[in-house]
Amino acid sequence: MTERERSRPIVVVIDTRVQESRLRPRLEQATERDVRTVCDHESPLESLTEAADIERDGGTETNAEHGVESASTGTAETGSAGETAPITPGAVVLELDRPGDIQSLLRRVHAVLPDVPTIVAPHEGSEQLATVALRADATDYVPTDGDEDPIDRIVPTIRETSVQSDDGDSRYQRILATELPDEAFVIGEDGTYLEAKVRPESGDLYTIPADELVGTTLEDAFPDAVAADLQDCIDQAIQTSGVQSIEYQADTTDGRRQFEARVVPIDERIQGRRAVVWLARDITDRVERERRLRSRQDQLETLNRINAVIRQIIETLVEAPARDTIEREVCEQLVDSDLYCGSWIAERTGDGRLSYRTGAGDAEAVLECVRECTGEYESPVAQAAHTSELQTTNCIIDNESLPDELRAAAREDDVRSGVVVPITHEDVTYGVLTVLASRDDAFSERERAGFRLLGETIGFTIMAVKNRQLLFADSVVELEFQIDGGDRFCFDLSERYDCTGSLEWAGTTSSGRVVQYVTVDGLGCETVLEEAKEHDSVEECRLIDDGEEHCTIELRLTRSGVRTLANHGATIRDVTIENGVGICLVEVSQETDIREIAEALTDIYEKAELAARREVDRTVRTAAERRTRILDELTDRQLTTLRLAYYGGFFDWPRKSTGEEIAEAMNISAPTMHQHLRKGLKSILGEFFEDSASPD
């Protein structure tokens, strides 16, 4: 280094908000030059002139007004008149982070000192700052937050520039190599690659090595349509002198990937032509994340719409007067939602085939094909009806496991996915609901969960409608079934011990347990309890009433025909079992499918036959008639006890009167009062319960 070069100081421009330069001490040590700092709002040249005046007078001083530090090690250049001439810096280093300040200051420096190297060295590098450095003709761009020591880049840049002038191309190469996104190019206005810099990990994806791209054109690297779009972007950047952005796809060794580019026009000519800097990032992963996010958002919106439709259908079912209305409303509302293109409900017939009940939508070809499916192929509709499990088929048109006829019908009706939902309540399957959609993979797990709930709700509503029809019917159908044998407890007990069993009541508790109260005549309770404990069909047994030759027990069975009949809308009137043969009397409404009842009972008892069918007119009682009948059943003492207990708050919680206080008011003992109370309550409850052994 010559004495003249050493006399030219390095100027470091810092932000006014920063107290001192991070680079100055290390630059002084590495270059053996005078390094001076100025604030970004000053002109470095003016500051140096003032600093030279201070040095001429001798001493070292800090210009507090302008924030300039001067060092006495520098030697001022003097003119012929003995006055101090402006000192030309050996380099200007911009230790700034704001793009506007960098651009403004570089233009001011280049206007006065065009041959002085300028290095942009921000604390935190970014693509935006690199672009600003390029456009403002910085000699180099060296962010100080990287793994590389910035001094190792700044010092060689200063020394090289001092020896030879910068040809422009090398400057762009240095900056491109510093702030590469994934790939960066200098591309001429005619689409020719002039420079190419690619990160090593990105270079492995190229079908053509980056260094072989130089001299080729966009048309050589991309399909015609993509090359035309990229050329338009270059033209726009040059014509407007503004930064342009574009997204495009490129074929790589890892398949087709998505890129985003920022196109920065270069003010000076490169190799005699206008050019741009092309900074590109591989955004394939980001695009895929955004696609998945949009997909999840779309799925969520669709799911919300589906849930809204299902809620609306469930609200409609509450007021449906008949099963036909329920099924028709379900199918129509599903199709009217525009989420589904077809829907229908079918049920199994006595011969095991499926019978169409009702439907909606335009998927007639698929429906007809499903109806005619024979041979070894079991359609999802048949599978759901047979197993009572939900079935889903997605991508129907492309599913080669499906029959060609079904795929052709799906193509004709634009059906791409379907779900078959069993309509069930507890252990009873009333039919299957088929729903078709024009969307691939339309039935996610959340949608399937919603349809399972819908199937159960429809089943519950059908059961409730049947019970309501039976409850309010003026005339009913009485069915008498004869059940010959079976592996149930009461059948085995009556056959082995020649006793008789009678069903007092059977029903389902709120927890779903089926409870039966059975009276056994002709056998002691000890034997009954011992047999119940050993029998496979009995889960639990408890003694209720004990007599010498009879007893009443509470039973809980592993499987009960009573529950099955109740779920089909039948009311059990009487069940008597003797010598291993049972006679079961049930009532159903006029609209009930009797074949369905018979089949359901056969599933529990193999030898169950319909022995008789009778239409019975019900006796209609008014509330006043029932009240009179209850009062006639009560004695005066029982009625008085009930009234005193009711109005005295004995039945409130907490009680407002005790049993002793009620007894004292009647002038009788407490045990006697409780005896009257219980007998009176039993008479009242008997009016409601003794007419039927049906489930409540």
Side-chain angles (χ1 to χ4, degrees):
M1 181 183 298
T2 66
E3 187 64 29
R4 178 178 178 80
E5 291 172 353
R6 186 178 291 107
S7 67
R8 298 174 63 185
I10 298 173
V11 176
V12 179
V13 183
I14 62 173
D15 195 302
T16 54
R17 298 168 298 178
V18 179
Q19 297 297 324
E20 60 183 7
S21 167
R22 299 180 183 180
L23 298 176
R24 175 181 173 178
R26 300 177 61 198
L27 282 173
E28 287 178 333
Q29 182 178 0
T31 62
E32 298 180 357
R33 289 196 187 189
D34 180 17
V35 180
R36 307 182 183 185
T37 57
V38 298
C39 293
D40 58 356
H41 67 276
E42 304 177 50
S43 168
L45 186 60
E46 295 173 359
S47 298
L48 287 172
T49 302
E50 295 176 5
D53 292 337
I54 296 172
E55 291 172 4
R56 182 186 58 187
D57 296 335
T60 302
E61 183 178 328
T62 298
N63 189 325
E65 180 181 355
H66 295 94
V68 179
E69 293 182 44
S70 304
S72 59
T73 58
T75 303
E77 300 179 7
T78 57
S80 58
E83 297 180 355
T84 301
I87 299 176
T88 302
V92 177
V93 180
L94 279 65
E95 206 173 332
L96 305 174
D97 290 303
R98 291 183 291 192
D101 294 344
I102 294 172
Q103 185 177 36
S104 174
L105 192 53
L106 283 175
R107 288 178 177 174
R108 288 158 55 195
V109 171
H110 291 157
V112 181
L113 307 170
D115 297 327
V116 172
T118 53
I119 298 99
V120 177
H123 295 305
E124 296 182 2
S126 69
E127 181 181 326
Q128 182 183 16
L129 293 179
T131 302
V132 170
L134 276 173
R135 299 204 63 192
D137 295 329
T139 307
D140 204 351
Y141 170 80
V142 186
T144 61
D145 60 346
D147 297 332
E148 183 182 8
D149 188 345
I151 299 299
D152 293 340
R153 282 280 303 278
I154 295 174
V155 172
T157 299
I158 295 173
R159 287 174 178 169
E160 291 171 6
T161 311
S162 299
V163 175
Q164 58 184 12
S165 62
D166 198 332
D167 62 1
D169 289 355
S170 60
R171 176 174 60 84
Y172 283 105
Q173 293 178 20
R174 284 196 300 271
I175 295 181
L176 290 179
T178 301
E179 189 60 32
L180 280 182
D182 286 301
E183 55 185 34
F185 311 100
V186 175
I187 304 176
E189 58 187 341
D190 59 352
T192 302
Y193 287 93
L194 304 178
E195 298 290 342
K197 298 293 181 181
V198 180
R199 291 191 183 277
E201 59 270 22
S202 300
D204 295 339
L205 299 176
Y206 275 72
T207 56
I208 302 175
D211 53 359
E212 294 182 12
L213 280 174
V214 177
T216 63
T217 64
L218 294 174
E219 288 80 0
D220 298 328
F222 295 94
D224 292 344
V226 177
D229 291 339
L230 302 185
Q231 184 64 55
D232 289 343
C233 185
I234 292 174
D235 295 342
Q236 186 74 11
I238 293 176
Q239 291 171 8
T240 62
S241 296
V243 178
Q244 303 295 317
S245 297
I246 188 173
E247 290 188 12
Y248 59 96
Q249 292 182 337
D251 292 326
T252 70
T253 57
D254 192 32
R256 180 161 294 185
R257 300 187 71 82
Q258 188 86 8
F259 291 85
E260 179 185 53
R262 296 184 65 189
V263 184
V264 183
I266 301 173
D267 294 336
E268 64 185 57
R269 292 181 178 272
I270 304 296
Q271 298 180 9
R273 70 188 83 180
R274 295 295 304 278
V276 298
V277 174
W278 188 283
L279 301 172
R281 290 188 184 277
D282 186 340
I283 60 170
T284 305
D285 294 340
R286 189 193 78 189
V287 170
E288 179 61 21
R289 288 195 301 270
E290 292 174 351
R291 186 197 64 79
R292 289 198 297 266
L293 179 60
R294 286 193 301 270
S295 177
R296 287 196 294 269
Q297 290 173 338
D298 292 342
Q299 290 175 2
L300 181 60
E301 291 176 1
T302 301
L303 184 62
N304 289 337
R305 291 179 61 194
I306 291 169
N307 289 336
V309 171
I310 291 176
R311 285 196 302 270
Q312 181 180 352
I313 292 173
I314 291 175
E315 292 173 0
T316 303
L317 295 182
V318 175
E319 301 178 355
R323 177 177 179 176
D324 291 345
T325 305
I326 293 171
E327 295 173 337
R328 185 175 62 253
E329 286 287 339
V330 168
C331 293
E332 290 179 353
Q333 290 193 40
L334 285 171
V335 174
D336 289 345
S337 70
D338 294 331
L339 290 166
Y340 309 103
C341 58
S343 175
W344 73 78
I345 290 177
E347 64 177 350
R348 293 179 68 90
T349 60
D351 58 3
R353 301 180 63 184
L354 288 170
S355 174
Y356 174 87
R357 288 183 58 85
T358 188
D362 300 324
E364 296 293 336
V366 174
L367 173 59
E368 191 63 28
C369 185
V370 171
R371 280 178 168 178
E372 296 177 356
C373 276
T374 57
E376 297 181 357
Y377 174 72
E378 185 179 28
S379 70
V381 180
Q383 292 178 33
H386 178 69
T387 63
S388 296
E389 295 181 358
L390 184 142
Q391 304 291 326
T392 305
T393 305
N394 289 315
C395 304
I396 294 177
I397 296 177
D398 300 324
N399 192 337
E400 296 182 356
S401 66
L402 300 177
D404 293 339
E405 297 83 359
L406 182 57
R407 294 166 60 192
R411 192 175 295 107
E412 179 181 343
D413 291 336
D414 192 24
V415 173
R416 299 181 179 275
S417 56
V419 64
V420 186
V421 187
I423 300 174
T424 61
H425 176 65
E426 295 184 347
D427 59 344
V428 179
T429 300
Y430 296 103
V432 290
L433 165 67
T434 301
V435 184
L436 306 175
S438 297
R439 296 171 283 131
D440 284 325
D441 299 320
F443 300 100
S444 64
E445 179 54 40
R446 289 186 176 182
E447 284 192 61
R448 293 197 295 271
F451 275 104
R452 286 190 188 95
L453 174 61
L454 178 60
E456 293 170 1
T457 304
I458 297 172
F460 174 80
T461 308
I462 290 175
M463 184 274 296
V465 165
K466 289 186 174 185
N467 287 337
R468 186 165 64 238
Q469 289 173 340
L470 179 60
L471 180 63
F472 292 103
D474 294 333
S475 63
V476 296
V477 177
E478 184 180 81
L479 304 176
E480 180 179 326
F481 289 96
Q482 179 176 309
I483 305 171
D484 188 4
D487 58 354
R488 298 298 181 265
F489 169 66
C490 290
F491 289 90
D492 291 345
L493 193 69
S494 67
E495 188 172 15
R496 179 178 299 178
Y497 294 99
D498 193 24
C499 60
T500 301
S502 301
L503 180 66
E504 300 293 339
W505 181 83
T508 305
T509 66
S510 59
S511 62
R513 295 181 55 182
V514 177
V515 179
Q516 299 182 13
Y517 292 92
V518 178
T519 296
V520 180
D521 290 313
L523 190 63
C525 66
E526 292 183 1
T527 303
V528 172
L529 292 176
E530 289 177 1
E531 290 290 336
K533 183 178 180 181
E534 299 297 330
H535 204 280
D536 293 338
S537 67
V538 177
E539 288 186 353
E540 295 179 8
C541 180
R542 183 170 68 92
L543 180 65
I544 301 299
D545 184 29
D546 181 14
E548 292 183 2
E549 291 296 326
H550 75 276
C551 65
T552 300
I553 57 175
E554 179 188 275
L555 286 175
R556 181 183 177 189
L557 304 178
T558 55
R559 194 178 183 194
S560 172
V562 171
R563 183 171 186 174
T564 300
L565 290 171
N567 288 337
H568 280 82
T571 297
I572 301 173
R573 285 302 179 189
D574 184 46
V575 178
T576 303
I577 302 172
E578 188 173 0
N579 297 324
V581 178
I583 301 298
C584 178
L585 294 178
V586 301
E587 287 183 355
V588 297
S589 66
Q590 297 282 358
E591 295 82 5
T592 300
D593 186 346
I594 296 175
R595 174 191 51 78
E596 183 182 282
I597 299 290
E599 289 179 354
L601 200 59
T602 304
D603 288 340
I604 305 297
Y605 308 105
E606 293 183 2
K607 297 180 180 180
E609 296 181 356
L610 179 61
R613 179 183 185 278
R614 296 176 288 270
E615 291 191 9
V616 179
D617 292 330
R618 281 180 168 175
T619 301
V620 179
R621 287 182 187 165
T622 64
E625 289 174 338
R626 172 158 284 188
R627 183 172 183 275
T628 300
R629 179 175 172 176
I630 292 174
L631 292 176
D632 290 343
E633 293 289 329
L634 298 174
T635 65
D636 291 341
R637 283 278 187 172
Q638 292 170 358
L639 182 59
T640 300
T641 304
L642 286 170
R643 281 175 171 165
L644 287 173
Y646 180 80
Y647 291 108
F650 178 79
F651 298 111
D652 294 345
W653 185 262
R655 286 181 175 176
K656 295 182 172 60
S657 298
T658 64
E660 288 74 11
E661 290 172 332
I662 301 298
E664 184 180 352
M666 296 180 64
N667 197 24
I668 59 176
S669 66
T672 302
M673 188 280 298
H674 282 289
Q675 181 182 12
H676 292 317
L677 184 66
R678 291 183 181 276
K679 286 184 177 181
L681 287 174
K682 185 176 182 180
S683 296
I684 294 173
L685 295 176
E687 175 65 24
F688 293 96
F689 297 146
E690 290 297 335
D691 285 348
S692 170
S694 64
D696 191 36

